[in-house]
Amino acid sequence: MKKRIGIGIDLGGSSIKFALGTEQGEILKRGKRPSYAQEDYPIILDEISKAINDLVVYAKSIGKKVSAIGIGTPGSVDVTSGFLKGSTPNFRYWKKVPIKKELEQKVGLPVFVDNDANLMALGEARFGAGIGHKNIICLTIGTGIGGGIILNGELFRGSNFAGAELGHTTIKYNGVDCRCGGKGCLEKYASASAMIDQFYKKSRGQGYPVYKDELNVKYIFKQMESGNSLAKEVIENSTYYLGRGLANFMNIFNPTIIIIGGGVAEAGRAYLKRIKNIAFKYAMDCSRENVIIAGAKLGNKAGYMGAISFALNQLSLVSSMKRSN
Ligand SMILES: [Zn+2]
């Protein structure tokens, strides 16, 4: 069987990660460009099309032809039309963008667009920690908490492409305000930013000279390991909330695996172990049976690998629909 080739684009707040790869998950070339998140949207589209053109040229040089392009972007996407509906906090003008239409005009190849957390989940499901699983919950813990849900082997997007917002499930009903309009959302308590915020506030409160710009999750874990009680408290709080969140997801979806990705998951094995303990303690007996809670395997490759797989799959769907008409 001939291996089809696709391009995957993972648009993030600071960079565009991109790759050329096969349907089977083999990566032939990859790269990174700035995403210019504060600029007007045509500039971002230009950067994406430059990345695509470079990869198309490379594919030609090795005698291959690109069949389709998959784009993962933050925000809510109408997958049928490839239109970015909602805005996203890290980008200034990246909303209401006809991504598919504009990019297809620029690059002359079929383009398919989905939410970035969805495509990361798909990447992990097909090529990473989720191989062999059909019901998968995937969380990416970073500035916020991105969620992806795979049910019976398919991405679940909701009826209006706005589902799977696992980071915005309420974990504290009267908690702090969230950018989504809700209160006490999981990401306000268990994201990397929430951890950093709490550590910063607590340390300042106790008179420690901590600079927020220099803080990251790895540092907080290191501090905990060297006996810093504030770091311990922050990590214990955050893992407690995340564990409670996971218990909810186990009760609702009854997955066989929950995959945790993002910088926080990479920061320490103790982190995953603690989340597991809390989640298993609070989930219902039947819901937690045979559930694995595991770290993501693909790191920041998950987004573009999922995008390639998604694009080639959508291309097959479109061609089979054309044939049956
Ligand atoms: Zn929220």
Side-chain angles (χ1 to χ4, degrees):
M1 196 183 126
K2 206 178 161 215
K3 287 181 181 170
R4 290 192 301 172
I5 304 287
I7 288 175
I9 305 276
D10 181 13
L11 178 65
S14 56
S15 67
I16 301 168
K17 295 180 202 74
F18 51 90
L20 179 78
T22 66
E23 213 162 5
Q24 288 75 15
E26 190 190 343
I27 296 299
L28 306 171
K29 190 169 180 67
R30 58 184 167 170
K32 213 162 126 176
R33 301 185 80 93
S35 55
Y36 298 115
Q38 297 309 308
E39 303 293 333
D40 205 355
Y41 84 75
I43 294 175
I44 300 173
L45 286 174
D46 268 352
E47 280 304 310
I48 296 175
S49 57
K50 278 180 201 161
I52 293 170
N53 287 331
D54 286 354
L55 291 177
V56 168
V57 168
Y58 176 79
K60 267 186 200 155
S61 78
I62 55 167
K64 313 261 187 209
K65 194 172 166 283
V66 175
S67 299
I69 294 150
I71 316 270
T73 168
S76 159
V77 178
D78 181 330
V79 173
T80 337
S81 60
F83 183 83
L84 173 73
K85 296 158 73 182
S87 61
T88 172
N90 295 330
F91 287 78
R92 204 152 169 206
Y93 306 105
W94 191 243
K95 55 188 156 195
K96 303 210 183 309
V97 185
I99 302 178
K100 177 181 169 72
K101 194 176 148 217
E102 296 232 359
L103 281 178
E104 284 184 343
Q105 276 169 7
K106 277 178 190 284
V107 301
L109 283 163
V111 173
F112 301 97
V113 192
D114 201 344
N115 169 269
D116 57 348
N118 281 350
L119 295 185
M120 273 177 216
L122 195 66
E124 282 293 338
R126 301 228 162 118
F127 310 112
I131 292 177
H133 293 268
K134 278 188 154 179
N135 294 314
I136 303 170
I137 299 295
C138 191
L139 291 176
T140 309
I141 320 264
T143 320
I145 294 185
I149 300 169
I150 289 173
L151 299 177
N152 296 321
E154 298 285 332
L155 266 172
F156 173 79
R157 300 182 176 93
S159 52
N160 201 22
F161 306 106
E165 289 290 356
L166 301 175
H168 297 282
T169 44
T170 305
I171 200 78
K172 219 174 176 182
Y173 78 93
N174 214 11
V176 292
D177 291 342
C178 180
R179 62 186 166 94
C180 72
K183 242 181 194 309
C185 292
L186 181 60
E187 75 167 34
K188 296 301 284 183
Y189 294 87
S191 63
S193 313
M195 243 189 227
I196 290 167
D197 262 6
Q198 281 173 26
F199 186 74
Y200 177 73
K201 278 182 196 148
K202 281 182 199 286
S203 307
R204 298 288 287 199
Q206 300 219 351
Y208 292 115
V210 177
Y211 299 99
K212 203 169 181 182
D213 293 348
E214 291 167 12
L215 273 182
N216 58 46
V217 171
K218 267 191 191 138
Y219 174 83
I220 302 174
F221 273 90
K222 267 205 180 125
Q223 285 294 306
M224 180 182 75
E225 280 157 21
S226 57
N228 181 330
S229 61
L230 291 183
K232 187 168 178 265
E233 198 184 321
V234 166
I235 290 167
E236 278 182 352
N237 268 335
S238 142
T239 48
Y240 177 79
Y241 284 117
L242 190 59
R244 294 295 300 266
L246 294 196
N248 287 338
F249 306 150
M250 281 153 87
N251 290 346
I252 301 168
F253 300 105
N254 186 212
T256 50
I257 187 166
I258 298 178
I259 303 170
I260 313 278
V264 175
E266 286 157 21
R269 215 178 286 165
Y271 175 80
L272 275 181
K273 200 176 160 210
R274 197 177 139 77
I275 297 165
K276 265 184 213 171
N277 289 343
I278 306 287
F280 278 70
K281 183 174 172 191
Y282 289 97
M284 290 163 76
D285 281 351
C286 295
S287 313
R288 66 173 181 232
E289 223 171 83
N290 303 323
V291 183
I292 301 166
I293 296 178
K297 274 196 182 157
L298 301 177
N300 58 19
K301 290 187 281 188
Y304 56 64
M305 289 183 78
I308 293 170
S309 176
F310 160 72
L312 294 171
N313 201 31
Q314 290 295 105
L315 188 69
S316 312
L317 287 175
V318 172
S319 4
S320 71
M321 266 158 66
K322 275 187 188 152
R323 272 198 302 274
S324 65
N325 278 340

